[in-house]
Amino acid sequence: MPVKTEKDLNPDNRALYLKAMQGLELRNYGYVVSLIQTVLKDVPDFLDGRRMVRRAEVMATKGKKGFLSGMSAAGLKGPGLVKKDPKAAMELAEKMLESDPYSSQANQLLRDAANAAGFPEIAAFALETIVEGNPKDTKALHDLASHYYENGDSERAVDVYNRINELQPADLLAIKRGKDAAARASMSKGGWEEVAQSGGAKDYRDLIKDKEEAISLEQKSRVVKSDEMLDQQLAELLEKYAENQANVDLVRRIAGLYEQKGDLNSALEWYNYTSSLVQHTDPAVARKASDIGLKILDASIVEFETWLEQYGDAENAPDVRRQLEELKKQKAESLISEARKRVERNPTDWLLHFELGEQLLVAGYATEAIPELQQARKNPSVRLRAMNLLGDCYVAKNMLDFAIRTYGEACKEMPGMDDLKKEITYKLGLIHEKAGDRKQYIDRMKEIYEVDYSYKDVAQRVESSYTE
């Protein structure tokens, strides 16, 4: 049974969820927890809600355990409640997690209750939270991998078993189960289940070679400890590649090994080839290629900047500076291109519009950024930040009246003087100063002065106004 999403909420619960998103943006974590727990009582399988409330709890506690986190009084009645009323047990677990979101006891209770209620995705989230809190807890990792495997998510099970092997290379159980999960994943990918359900219309013999090769590839996903081992694995895979240059799993693995070696240029070529083999339909591969391309650009930028710090007065320094600016331009255009592609794939995801608008503004394209940031205001989680950047766009275009109105609206929506409101209020004051409205300029600076004397040069600006 798939989990519920925002679109499945009734109007009342959706309104609470949107308020919680805004509360998270304003760092009002207790408010977020209260609102989302109300929603979860009605919709216990609302996974995005549980993720949001856990994020708020982690940020509120900053990883520290609450006063009652070590107590197990509430937890003692949990197992009995799981059998009688699993949804009530899920509510109890959420209450326990308020003060210690990484609590193993509370998350295990949530897992058991979610499984009993028929919500395996929620159970997985509980186990993932335990692992997030203690990434080296191999017992928790085993529990998570087993859950993935038992619920048909073999690929994620393989990933977790590989993590266990990185921590404990001699864990034979993880090695064996990792191979089992890899074999199942390869069977699913390779079409064995499809053959089994075809009623004889398809032949297993067509898949045997691919299956054996897939299992061999999974066995080679062991932890690599030296360049020599990497080179050995590459030699083996390149030999197989010479026999079959259209094997996607093989090509992807070669790309990954080059990435592990730190040979990013070769890795990029192989990831691009992987993408071409699947006709550019795999967004994960495309994103990997893009990320590596950016890493290559970043490395070059750092190299040029380091050279200029040491030899900035050299005769060819102007040429190096021009090349550096060109690299930075390439990086900006690459980031914009990727952000634009994500928007094209999901045109109603306002968060993606925010990311695109942000990249456009950073690159100096204020005009192009405006419509993206205007769309982004529809997402409560980034609405205020979008208005902040939108005001910056208007300032860049010298449209001061639009900037004043946008910054002003954002300030009105923020009840407390947090860091974002200080930033926007400060910029609003500077615009009033530029526009010649001295009273509004000083009033905005005073608003910040009253709560944060040390913010930028606010103190000097306010105090000097009394001597002029």
Side-chain angles (χ1 to χ4, degrees):
M1 177 186 303
V3 294
K4 296 290 193 304
T5 63
E6 179 188 342
K7 67 181 182 181
D8 298 314
L9 301 178
N10 64 37
D12 291 341
N13 285 328
R14 187 170 186 275
L16 292 175
Y17 176 60
L18 294 177
K19 287 181 180 178
M21 291 177 70
Q22 190 168 6
L24 192 64
E25 176 75 14
L26 298 174
R27 302 177 187 174
N28 193 346
Y29 303 126
Y31 180 64
V32 173
V33 172
S34 175
L35 290 176
I36 294 298
Q37 286 190 349
T38 300
V39 176
L40 293 178
K41 287 182 180 179
D42 285 345
V43 195
D45 54 339
F46 180 34
L47 181 55
D48 286 342
R50 290 191 190 275
R51 285 177 174 150
M52 179 186 288
V53 79
R54 203 71 72 247
R55 178 184 171 195
E57 289 163 350
V58 169
M59 295 173 76
T61 60
K62 297 181 180 178
K64 298 178 181 178
K65 293 186 177 182
F67 177 70
L68 296 175
S69 63
M71 307 283 187
S72 58
L76 288 175
K77 64 179 181 180
L81 195 58
V82 167
K83 298 178 181 179
K84 296 179 182 178
D85 189 345
K87 293 182 181 179
M90 292 172 73
E91 292 181 26
L92 174 62
E94 287 293 344
K95 284 294 182 184
M96 295 169 64
L97 289 164
E98 285 185 30
S99 60
D100 184 8
Y102 290 134
S103 165
S104 293
Q105 181 188 21
N107 276 295
Q108 286 168 1
L109 173 59
L110 178 58
R111 174 203 56 187
D112 294 341
N115 277 329
F119 305 142
E121 295 90 347
I122 306 298
F125 170 64
L127 292 170
E128 290 162 358
T129 304
I130 297 175
V131 170
E132 180 182 313
N134 190 354
K136 296 184 179 181
D137 184 345
T138 54
K139 181 182 181 304
L141 286 165
H142 266 289
D143 289 343
L144 178 59
S146 295
H147 181 84
Y148 285 150
Y149 184 81
E150 291 166 3
N151 286 277
D153 197 342
S154 300
E155 290 189 22
R156 286 209 282 181
V158 170
D159 290 339
V160 178
Y161 282 126
N162 285 340
R163 287 175 61 182
I164 297 172
N165 289 331
E166 290 178 7
L167 295 169
Q168 294 185 353
D171 189 330
L172 299 180
L173 183 61
I175 293 172
K176 180 184 181 304
R177 290 184 175 176
K179 290 180 179 179
D180 291 342
R184 178 184 284 185
S186 95
M187 288 174 69
S188 178
K189 280 185 176 180
W192 287 70
E193 293 178 359
E194 184 180 351
V195 171
Q197 297 171 8
S198 70
K202 297 186 178 181
D203 193 339
Y204 283 105
R205 289 173 295 181
D206 297 332
L207 302 173
I208 289 176
K209 183 178 178 181
D210 288 340
K211 173 181 180 268
E212 290 174 347
E213 188 169 78
I215 294 174
S216 174
L217 290 173
E218 291 296 345
Q219 290 172 340
K220 289 181 174 61
S221 66
R222 59 189 179 274
V223 179
V224 177
K225 296 184 180 296
S226 69
D227 284 342
E228 184 179 350
M229 292 178 66
L230 282 170
D231 289 338
Q232 181 180 350
Q233 290 189 40
L234 273 171
E236 294 174 6
L237 295 184
L238 289 170
E239 187 176 335
K240 289 183 176 292
Y241 169 74
E243 299 173 1
N244 181 3
Q245 299 181 9
N247 186 311
V248 176
D249 288 334
L250 182 63
V251 174
R252 190 199 304 259
R253 188 59 54 84
I254 292 172
L257 288 175
Y258 274 117
E259 184 181 3
Q260 289 183 57
K261 275 174 60 70
D263 186 347
L264 297 183
N265 288 305
S266 295
L268 179 59
E269 290 181 9
W270 284 94
Y271 276 122
N272 283 335
Y273 182 46
T274 306
S275 186
S276 68
L277 286 177
V278 296
Q279 299 181 341
H280 308 288
T281 58
D282 189 333
V285 174
R287 185 64 178 264
K288 174 65 78 170
S290 173
D291 289 345
I292 290 179
L294 287 174
K295 285 181 181 179
I296 293 172
L297 277 174
D298 283 336
S300 298
I301 289 170
V302 170
E303 184 179 350
F304 276 58
E305 289 175 339
T306 302
W307 189 93
L308 286 170
E309 287 176 5
Q310 296 178 354
Y311 310 107
D313 296 329
E315 184 178 348
N316 62 334
D319 290 335
V320 175
R321 289 192 179 91
R322 281 193 290 272
Q323 292 178 58
L324 176 59
E325 289 306 310
E326 181 61 30
L327 287 173
K328 289 182 176 179
K329 182 180 178 181
Q330 288 180 28
K331 179 181 177 181
E333 290 175 350
S334 178
L335 289 170
I336 290 171
S337 175
E338 288 302 312
R340 199 182 298 281
K341 288 176 184 176
R342 290 194 289 273
V343 167
E344 289 172 354
R345 287 194 294 264
N346 300 281
T348 59
D349 188 330
W350 313 126
L351 178 58
L352 297 180
H353 284 275
F354 173 79
E355 293 173 355
L356 174 56
E358 184 177 35
Q359 295 298 339
L360 286 166
L361 179 58
V362 168
Y365 302 117
T367 300
E368 293 83 352
I370 288 174
E372 305 301 332
L373 294 169
Q374 287 176 337
Q375 295 274 38
R377 288 181 301 184
K378 299 176 185 178
N379 185 325
S381 69
V382 294
R383 173 177 170 79
L384 298 174
R385 284 189 288 155
M387 294 173 75
N388 181 28
L389 297 184
L390 192 54
D392 293 349
C393 291
Y394 294 139
V395 171
K397 293 171 67 65
N398 202 35
M399 301 169 64
L400 300 188
D401 54 337
F402 275 82
I404 289 172
R405 184 159 59 249
T406 303
Y407 286 145
E409 289 175 1
C411 287
K412 289 178 183 178
E413 293 186 21
M414 290 183 279
M417 185 62 78
D418 61 9
D419 290 343
L420 180 60
K421 187 169 183 178
K422 289 177 200 172
E423 178 187 343
I424 296 176
T425 303
Y426 183 83
K427 290 190 288 191
L428 183 56
L430 294 182
I431 295 176
H432 282 303
E433 181 186 33
K434 185 176 181 179
D437 191 338
R438 184 162 182 77
K439 182 179 183 307
Q440 288 290 340
Y441 153 61
I442 292 299
D443 284 348
R444 299 293 79 75
M445 296 299 164
K446 285 180 178 179
E447 287 180 20
I448 304 172
Y449 183 95
E450 288 178 341
V451 296
D452 190 349
Y453 177 91
S454 61
Y455 186 80
K456 294 187 177 180
D457 59 351
V458 162
Q460 185 270 328
R461 288 176 179 274
V462 171
E463 292 171 359
S464 65
S465 70
Y466 286 87
T467 61
E468 295 175 356

